[in-house]
Amino acid sequence: MSLFRQLAAPGSPGMAAPISCPSFSFSTTHADQANAEKHKHRDPYTLAQARQRKAANLARQEVLQKERAAALGDPIRGVTTPFIESLDNAESYGVTPMDSLSPQALTRADTETDISASDAASEHETHLNYFLTPSEVNRSLEYSYALTKPPVSSNRNTADPVMEEEHAQVHAGRHENAHRAISRIVSLATGNSKDRTRANIQRCVDVFGRHHTDKYLAPKPLPNVARDPSLPPPPEKTPRAGPDTGSSEVQIAILSAKIRVLANHLEGQGGKKDKYNKRNLRLLVHRRQKMLKYMRTKERGGARWQHLVQTLGLTPGTWEGEISL
C-alpha cells in the first residue's frame, strides 16, 4: 500500500479526526413579518386613518375635560369669592383709614382724654404686620398725640394766642406725618409673603373657628337613629379653651390659602420649571380633598359645610373624582 493510501485510511495514525460543525435552521418568517409591518406603516391610507383616529380621540378628550371643568369646577381655585380675593390683595390688610385719629379730629376731641374709647373694635378686626391689631395702633397714636401736644399756658394774660396756634399747627403736621409712616410700616402691603400667609392663617381661624361660628351657625343635623329613652343622655362636650385652630373647616381654609399662594407662584415667570413647589401644590390639594370628604360625611350638608363652601368658593371638583395636576 502506498504512503498516500496509508495516510488516507481512517485508522491510520497520521489522519486527524473529522470535525463536526453545528447545523443551524434558517427561517424567513420574522423577516417577512417585519417587512410587512414596515410596508403597512408606509401605506398612506393607513397613516391617514391613524391620524384621523388620533385627532378624534384628542378632540373627545378636550370636550370631556371642558365638560368636567364646567360641571365640577376648578379643583385648585374653585370659584373666586370676596374672601378669596382678599387673601391676594395685601392692601386690604393695611391700616384702615383712621379718620378719628386725624389731627383735625384729635383737635376737636382735646377735651376727651379717654384713650380706652378706641378699644371697641369689630369681632374680626383687620390684621397688620408684626402681630399688631388696629386697636393697638390707634391707642398708641392717641397716646403719642397726647404726649407730644404743646402745653397751653395757664396764665391767659401773658399767653400769645398766635404763637400757640402756630405750635398746634406744627404739632398736627408732625403727627400726620408720623401717622402715615406708621401706617406704611405696619401694613402688610410692605411685608413679604410669609407675613401675608401668617395673617391669612389668622384670618381663617377668626372666620371659620368654631369659637365664633357656634354663635350664629346651627349645629349639624342629628342622624336618623331612634334613641332609647331609657338610656342616660350623652355626656356634654368639654368646653373649648382658646380659639379653634384644629377643626376641619379651619384646616381646609388654611390649606386653601396656601394652595392659592402656590398656584399664583406657579403661574408666574419660571413657575413651569419649579417642580418642587408643583409637588407641594399636589400634596396640599389632595390633603384638602381628603379633609373635604371627611367633613362632608360628618356635617351631612349642615350649616358649617354650607358656610365653608360658599365663603371659600369650593366646587365639587375639589373633593370629587381624581385630581391630577
Side-chain angles (χ1 to χ4, degrees):
M1 182 181 298
S2 62
L3 180 60
F4 177 76
R5 290 182 178 180
Q6 292 179 358
L7 294 176
S12 58
M15 185 62 182
I19 301 174
S20 60
C21 297
S23 60
F24 298 95
S25 60
F26 297 95
S27 176
T28 60
T29 304
H30 299 288
D32 295 341
Q33 291 180 355
N35 293 332
E37 294 291 334
K38 192 174 182 180
H39 289 294
K40 176 182 177 181
H41 286 292
R42 286 182 178 178
D43 186 6
Y45 181 74
T46 306
L47 291 176
Q49 285 184 332
R51 295 193 191 99
Q52 187 176 5
R53 287 194 299 268
K54 183 177 180 180
N57 291 336
L58 293 177
R60 180 57 179 168
Q61 290 180 9
E62 185 177 358
V63 171
L64 292 178
Q65 289 177 0
K66 290 182 179 179
E67 291 179 356
R68 183 182 185 277
L72 301 180
D74 189 359
I76 299 177
R77 295 181 178 273
V79 180
T80 303
T81 60
F83 179 80
I84 292 297
E85 289 181 349
S86 67
L87 299 179
D88 295 336
N89 188 11
E91 294 294 339
S92 61
Y93 302 132
V95 177
T96 55
M98 295 178 282
D99 297 334
S100 60
L101 295 181
S102 61
Q104 294 78 7
L106 290 175
T107 303
R108 292 192 302 267
D110 284 343
T111 57
E112 301 177 2
T113 58
D114 186 9
I115 299 177
S116 62
S118 62
D119 293 340
S122 60
E123 185 178 3
H124 306 303
E125 57 185 358
T126 305
H127 295 278
L128 307 177
N129 208 351
Y130 307 111
F131 300 93
L132 295 175
T133 59
S135 59
E136 294 174 350
V137 177
N138 293 351
R139 288 196 301 267
S140 300
L141 289 174
E142 287 182 0
Y143 188 62
S144 65
Y145 183 84
L147 286 179
T148 59
K149 182 180 177 181
V152 179
S153 178
S154 58
N155 188 1
R156 304 309 302 171
N157 295 327
T158 60
D160 187 358
V162 178
M163 188 66 67
E164 290 180 353
E165 183 66 22
E166 292 179 358
H167 290 170
Q169 292 179 0
V170 171
H171 173 255
R174 291 179 178 177
H175 181 76
E176 185 177 0
N177 293 337
H179 172 266
R180 294 175 181 174
I182 293 297
S183 301
R184 289 193 298 266
I185 290 173
V186 301
S187 175
L188 282 174
T190 59
N192 54 19
S193 178
K194 185 180 294 185
D195 296 332
R196 287 189 289 270
T197 302
R198 176 192 56 78
N200 289 338
I201 291 175
Q202 186 61 37
R203 288 190 66 218
C204 293
V205 173
D206 293 341
V207 174
F208 297 98
R210 296 188 181 181
H211 60 289
H212 286 153
T213 57
D214 286 344
K215 300 176 183 178
Y216 57 89
L217 291 180
K220 65 179 180 181
L222 297 176
N224 297 326
V225 178
R227 182 176 177 82
D228 190 357
S230 62
L231 295 176
E236 296 182 359
K237 294 184 178 180
T238 305
R240 180 178 290 104
D244 176 25
T245 59
S247 60
S248 300
E249 50 266 39
V250 173
Q251 295 298 318
I252 291 171
I254 293 174
L255 288 175
S256 299
K258 294 180 179 180
I259 286 171
R260 192 164 184 86
V261 172
L262 288 179
N264 293 338
H265 167 69
L266 293 176
E267 289 181 356
Q269 185 177 5
K272 295 182 179 180
K273 298 182 180 179
D274 194 350
K275 306 300 181 183
Y276 179 77
N277 281 323
K278 187 175 182 181
R279 178 181 178 274
N280 291 339
L281 177 63
R282 187 184 304 112
L283 293 177
L284 293 180
V285 169
H286 290 165
R287 190 183 306 171
R288 183 181 65 176
Q289 182 186 24
K290 293 179 181 178
M291 299 190 71
L292 282 170
K293 289 181 179 179
Y294 169 79
M295 184 178 177
R296 188 187 183 196
T297 304
K298 291 296 181 181
E299 292 296 329
R300 295 183 288 274
R304 291 175 183 167
W305 171 260
Q306 298 296 333
H307 175 251
L308 177 72
V309 171
Q310 294 175 3
T311 306
L312 294 180
L314 301 176
T315 58
T318 56
W319 68 80
E320 289 184 0
E322 179 182 359
I323 301 177
S324 59
L325 304 178

